[in-house]
């Protein structure tokens, strides 16, 4: 049996020699003076040996522990040398599998399922707030305190909601990593409970008329799909909920060529419980200003052949992304200042202030009715949703006159590009409707293959992706 005194006193000789310990462990002393721990064992009928390190960097106690571990592996029927080699390779691979690498793989795998703007926002938040701090760490080495430190830094600048979203994205990366076999747990999973609470309140909205006009104008000048620009302006004019706008169908509109154009939103699409959605006579009626009808005329060449006014760019039978208008406002610089739902608050605030100035106190109840709010003291289904329609129409026109006075024609919004275009741009701008254009009448008119199948075939090409050719840049 070896001891430390024997090991320290071992001197080099002309030839290498062994100092043996128990169970085939020995110290190999080299002529150069080097001392190497080795262990001999038999596996598969062959004599083999393992290297346990250099003495004194590896002590006698440590060498015996390594030998005991190897013997335990051997007793399980495994080759300790192969197990060691696999462990080294796994450690090397784990060190190379950084959080940044896996996060980019996750983003690449899922971005096709997201809106383009959302996909850009996701990777940008990681590049800005996560990768500089922990991106180069092996994904298996990150701990909850390390991730929490990143989230606390985001909270420190006042971005409480962004911190929550970043945590969700980090957690999603780990779910992907676990599925791929490169991680076994999610250190971000439980951190939601310790983040600062998001204070609930009114959604941000610009309620000053002049600033609201400026905001709409600036957003409309930014790059966006023409359908998104028109949707935002139509939302501003009608003050409906964003979800109601996204689901708008051509067959919900009445008398668009007449003196009393109307948008009848079915009760089933309105916000509320089961009773509200099945309320008899519960459709929400939105009288349209002539400026709102002008938007529909500009929109018709783009989506008139589809059931939906504002379809998805990729799937004409599905509504546009719920984030499309919000991202447009964010890109224009209004993140945290105005959201799509904020147009309702803007309409309510500005029109109620106008009613107070003009001595129209009775208009307050009508304004609430235009927003599909239940009047005080009433319950759902206990009042006439079609009440005060002449006055509602007057207020809708007054609101449009106040809001749109400095903004360009809707046709201009269609002509503006959705992104930077080059000399070889293949972007096609549809011809606007003629002065004598009349909207088709009846539900059947707005079905594919109805009374205008040729129009559908002509417009459907707008939703088909342009094939890419090598060496050319395509802009739509």
């Amino acid at each position: 049996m070896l001891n430390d005194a024997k090991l320290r006193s071992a001197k080099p000789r002309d030839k290498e020699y062994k100092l043996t310990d128990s169970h085939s462990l020995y110290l190999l002393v080299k002529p150069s003076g080097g001392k190497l721990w080795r262990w001999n064992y038999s596996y598969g009928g062959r004599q083999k040996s393992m290297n346990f390190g250099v003495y004194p960097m590896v002590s006698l106690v440590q060498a015996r522990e390594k030998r005991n571990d190897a013997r335990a592996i051997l007793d399980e029927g495994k080759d300790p040398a192969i197990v060691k080699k696999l462990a080294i390779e796994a450690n090397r691979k784990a060190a190379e599998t950084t959080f940044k690498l896996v996060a980019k793989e996750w983003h690449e795998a899922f971005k096709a399922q997201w809106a383009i703007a959302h996909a850009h926002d996701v990777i940008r938040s990681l590049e800005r707030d996560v990768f500089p701090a922990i991106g180069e760490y092996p994904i298996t080495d990150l701990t909850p305190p390390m991730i929490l430190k990143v989230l606390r830094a985001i909270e420190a600048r006042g971005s409480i909601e962004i911190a929550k979203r970043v945590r969700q994205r980090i957690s999603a990366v780990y779910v992907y990593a676990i599925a791929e076999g490169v991680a076994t747990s999610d250190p971000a999973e439980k951190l939601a409970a310790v983040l600062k609470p998001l204070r609930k309140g009114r959604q941000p909205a610009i309620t000053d008329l002049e600033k609201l006009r400026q905001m709409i104008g600036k957003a409309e000048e930014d790059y966006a799909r023409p359908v998104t620009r028109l949707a935002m302006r139509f939302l501003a004019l009608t003050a409906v909920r964003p979800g109601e706008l996204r689901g708008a169908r051509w067959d919900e509109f009445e008398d668009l060529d007449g003196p009393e154009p109307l948008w009848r939103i079915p009760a089933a699409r309105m916000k509320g419980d089961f009773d509200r959605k099945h309320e008899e006579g519960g459709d929400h009626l939105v009288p349209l200003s002539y400026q709102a009808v002008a938007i529909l005329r500009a929109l018709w060449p783009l989506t008139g052949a589809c059931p939906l006014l504002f379809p998805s760019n990729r799937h004409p039978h599905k509504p546009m992304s719920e984030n499309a208008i919000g991202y447009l406002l964010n890109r224009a610089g209004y993140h945290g200042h105005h959201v799509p739902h904020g147009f309702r608050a803007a309409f309510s605030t500005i029109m109620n202030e106008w009613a107070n100035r003009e001595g129209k106190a009775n208009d307050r109840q009508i304004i609430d009715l235009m927003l599909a709010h239940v009047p005080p003291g009433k319950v759902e289904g206990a009042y006439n949703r079609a009440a005060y329609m002449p006055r509602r129409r007057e207020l809708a026109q007054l609101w449009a006159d106040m809001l749109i006075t400095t903004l360009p024609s809707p046709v201009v919004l269609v002509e503006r590009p959705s992104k930077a275009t080059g000399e070889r741009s293949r972007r096609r701008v549809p011809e606007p409707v003629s002065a004598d254009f009349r909207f088709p009448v009846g539900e059947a008119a707005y079905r594919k293959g109805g009374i205008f199948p040729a129009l559908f075939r002509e417009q459907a090409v707008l939703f088909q992706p342009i094939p890419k050719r090598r060496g050319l840049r395509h802009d739509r």
Side-chain angles (χ1 to χ4, degrees), residues 27 38 89 110 164 189 265 268 287 333-334 340 342 365 381 395-396 418:
L27 185 73
R38 305 210 38 122
E89 178 63 20
F110 286 91
K164 293 181 178 297
E189 181 182 10
I265 305 177
Y334 290 92
Q365 180 181 356
L395 292 178
S418 59

Side-chain angles (χ1 to χ4, degrees), residues 187-231:
E189 181 182 10
K190 304 296 184 181
L191 297 182
V194 298
L195 295 180
K196 292 181 180 179
L198 184 64
R199 294 181 180 179
K200 299 292 184 180
R202 295 175 65 91
Q203 300 200 55
I206 296 174
T207 56
D208 176 83
L209 181 60
E210 183 59 33
K211 292 181 180 179
L212 185 66
R213 286 198 205 105
Q214 293 175 359
M215 184 271 293
I216 295 173
K218 186 175 180 180
E220 289 178 348
E221 290 174 355
D222 206 332
Y223 292 124
R225 293 173 58 213
V227 169
T228 304
R229 293 195 193 97
L230 295 173

Side-chain angles (χ1 to χ4, degrees), residues 83-99:
V83 172
K84 179 180 179 181
K85 184 180 295 185
L86 292 176
I88 293 174
E89 178 63 20
N91 290 336
R92 184 192 62 77
K93 185 176 181 180
E96 294 176 352
T97 308
T98 64
F99 177 84

